[in-house]
PDB file of all heavy atoms in Angstrom:
ATOM      1  N   SER A 353     -24.751  23.756 -14.273  1.00 70.00           N
ATOM      2  CA  SER A 353     -24.956  24.919 -13.349  1.00 70.00           C
ATOM      3  C   SER A 353     -24.160  26.135 -13.985  1.00 70.00           C
ATOM      4  O   SER A 353     -24.605  27.352 -13.767  1.00 70.00           O
ATOM      5  CB  SER A 353     -24.483  24.662 -11.961  1.00 70.00           C
ATOM      6  OG  SER A 353     -23.211  24.237 -11.878  1.00 70.00           O
ATOM      7  N   GLY A 354     -23.092  25.935 -14.724  1.00 69.00           N
ATOM      8  CA  GLY A 354     -22.364  26.968 -15.328  1.00 69.00           C
ATOM      9  C   GLY A 354     -23.219  27.661 -16.435  1.00 69.00           C
ATOM     10  O   GLY A 354     -23.346  28.868 -16.605  1.00 69.00           O
ATOM     11  N   LEU A 355     -23.852  26.748 -17.230  1.00 71.00           N
ATOM     12  CA  LEU A 355     -24.592  27.212 -18.398  1.00 71.00           C
ATOM     13  C   LEU A 355     -25.983  27.823 -17.967  1.00 71.00           C
ATOM     14  O   LEU A 355     -26.418  28.785 -18.586  1.00 71.00           O
ATOM     15  CB  LEU A 355     -24.858  26.075 -19.429  1.00 71.00           C
ATOM     16  CG  LEU A 355     -23.675  25.636 -20.192  1.00 71.00           C
ATOM     17  CD1 LEU A 355     -23.913  24.347 -20.949  1.00 71.00           C
ATOM     18  CD2 LEU A 355     -23.262  26.696 -21.275  1.00 71.00           C
ATOM     19  N   ARG A 356     -26.581  27.205 -16.992  1.00 74.00           N
ATOM     20  CA  ARG A 356     -27.967  27.618 -16.658  1.00 74.00           C
ATOM     21  C   ARG A 356     -27.994  28.287 -15.233  1.00 74.00           C
ATOM     22  O   ARG A 356     -29.132  28.515 -14.820  1.00 74.00           O
ATOM     23  CB  ARG A 356     -28.852  26.351 -16.659  1.00 74.00           C
ATOM     24  CG  ARG A 356     -28.926  25.754 -18.058  1.00 74.00           C
ATOM     25  CD  ARG A 356     -29.535  26.597 -19.128  1.00 74.00           C
ATOM     26  NE  ARG A 356     -29.636  26.034 -20.412  1.00 74.00           N
ATOM     27  CZ  ARG A 356     -30.026  26.572 -21.487  1.00 74.00           C
ATOM     28  NH1 ARG A 356     -30.343  27.849 -21.440  1.00 74.00           N
ATOM     29  NH2 ARG A 356     -30.081  25.954 -22.663  1.00 74.00           N
ATOM     30  N   ASN A 357     -26.943  28.492 -14.540  1.00 72.00           N
ATOM     31  CA  ASN A 357     -26.920  29.117 -13.278  1.00 72.00           C
ATOM     32  C   ASN A 357     -27.825  28.264 -12.267  1.00 72.00           C
ATOM     33  O   ASN A 357     -28.577  28.921 -11.507  1.00 72.00           O
ATOM     34  CB  ASN A 357     -27.354  30.581 -13.374  1.00 72.00           C
ATOM     35  CG  ASN A 357     -26.969  31.356 -12.083  1.00 72.00           C
ATOM     36  OD1 ASN A 357     -25.950  31.010 -11.466  1.00 72.00           O
ATOM     37  ND2 ASN A 357     -27.761  32.392 -11.749  1.00 72.00           N
ATOM     38  N   ILE A 358     -27.759  27.068 -12.379  1.00 69.00           N
ATOM     39  CA  ILE A 358     -28.567  26.174 -11.490  1.00 69.00           C
ATOM     40  C   ILE A 358     -27.894  26.166 -10.029  1.00 69.00           C
ATOM     41  O   ILE A 358     -26.666  26.254  -9.945  1.00 69.00           O
ATOM     42  CB  ILE A 358     -28.569  24.735 -12.023  1.00 69.00           C
ATOM     43  CG1 ILE A 358     -29.267  24.732 -13.381  1.00 69.00           C
ATOM     44  CG2 ILE A 358     -29.254  23.790 -11.077  1.00 69.00           C
ATOM     45  CD1 ILE A 358     -29.050  23.390 -14.134  1.00 69.00           C
ATOM     46  N   VAL A 359     -28.696  26.151  -8.946  1.00 69.00           N
ATOM     47  CA  VAL A 359     -28.176  25.994  -7.687  1.00 69.00           C
ATOM     48  C   VAL A 359     -27.551  24.646  -7.668  1.00 69.00           C
ATOM     49  O   VAL A 359     -28.082  23.602  -8.009  1.00 69.00           O
ATOM     50  CB  VAL A 359     -29.320  25.978  -6.660  1.00 69.00           C
ATOM     51  CG1 VAL A 359     -28.739  25.670  -5.217  1.00 69.00           C
ATOM     52  CG2 VAL A 359     -29.960  27.406  -6.575  1.00 69.00           C
ATOM     53  N   HIS A 360     -26.271  24.627  -7.163  1.00 74.00           N
ATOM     54  CA  HIS A 360     -25.445  23.353  -7.306  1.00 74.00           C
ATOM     55  C   HIS A 360     -26.061  22.174  -6.730  1.00 74.00           C
ATOM     56  O   HIS A 360     -26.092  21.133  -7.316  1.00 74.00           O
ATOM     57  CB  HIS A 360     -24.060  23.692  -6.652  1.00 74.00           C
ATOM     58  CG  HIS A 360     -23.094  22.571  -6.754  1.00 74.00           C
ATOM     59  ND1 HIS A 360     -22.771  21.870  -7.945  1.00 74.00           N
ATOM     60  CD2 HIS A 360     -22.330  21.972  -5.829  1.00 74.00           C
ATOM     61  CE1 HIS A 360     -21.888  20.936  -7.645  1.00 74.00           C
ATOM     62  NE2 HIS A 360     -21.597  21.001  -6.399  1.00 74.00           N
ATOM     63  N   GLY A 361     -26.488  22.286  -5.551  1.00 67.00           N
ATOM     64  CA  GLY A 361     -27.072  21.136  -4.741  1.00 67.00           C
ATOM     65  C   GLY A 361     -28.408  20.648  -5.467  1.00 67.00           C
ATOM     66  O   GLY A 361     -28.663  19.447  -5.516  1.00 67.00           O
ATOM     67  N   HIS A 362     -29.089  21.566  -6.056  1.00 71.00           N
ATOM     68  CA  HIS A 362     -30.345  21.160  -6.818  1.00 71.00           C
ATOM     69  C   HIS A 362     -29.941  20.333  -8.026  1.00 71.00           C
ATOM     70  O   HIS A 362     -30.628  19.281  -8.336  1.00 71.00           O
ATOM     71  CB  HIS A 362     -31.101  22.344  -7.218  1.00 71.00           C
ATOM     72  CG  HIS A 362     -31.758  23.195  -6.099  1.00 71.00           C
ATOM     73  ND1 HIS A 362     -32.548  24.336  -6.322  1.00 71.00           N
ATOM     74  CD2 HIS A 362     -31.686  23.014  -4.739  1.00 71.00           C
ATOM     75  CE1 HIS A 362     -32.984  24.713  -5.112  1.00 71.00           C
ATOM     76  NE2 HIS A 362     -32.487  23.953  -4.184  1.00 71.00           N
ATOM     77  N   GLY A 363     -28.955  20.813  -8.718  1.00 71.00           N
ATOM     78  CA  GLY A 363     -28.469  20.094  -9.820  1.00 71.00           C
ATOM     79  C   GLY A 363     -27.983  18.632  -9.437  1.00 71.00           C
ATOM     80  O   GLY A 363     -28.366  17.709 -10.224  1.00 71.00           O
ATOM     81  N   LEU A 364     -27.338  18.550  -8.402  1.00 76.00           N
ATOM     82  CA  LEU A 364     -26.798  17.215  -7.984  1.00 76.00           C
ATOM     83  C   LEU A 364     -28.019  16.366  -7.583  1.00 76.00           C
ATOM     84  O   LEU A 364     -28.045  15.155  -7.903  1.00 76.00           O
ATOM     85  CB  LEU A 364     -25.923  17.325  -6.759  1.00 76.00           C
ATOM     86  CG  LEU A 364     -24.529  17.885  -7.107  1.00 76.00           C
ATOM     87  CD1 LEU A 364     -23.797  18.302  -5.765  1.00 76.00           C
ATOM     88  CD2 LEU A 364     -23.737  16.880  -7.885  1.00 76.00           C
ATOM     89  N   ALA A 365     -29.050  16.904  -6.835  1.00 73.00           N
ATOM     90  CA  ALA A 365     -30.224  16.113  -6.490  1.00 73.00           C
ATOM     91  C   ALA A 365     -30.924  15.590  -7.643  1.00 73.00           C
ATOM     92  O   ALA A 365     -31.452  14.468  -7.691  1.00 73.00           O
ATOM     93  CB  ALA A 365     -31.139  16.962  -5.656  1.00 73.00           C
TER      94      ALA A 365
END
Side-chain angles (χ1 to χ4, degrees):
S353 57
L355 287 168
R356 300 297 182 184
N357 197 29
I358 299 167
V359 176
H360 180 52
H362 292 182
L364 286 170

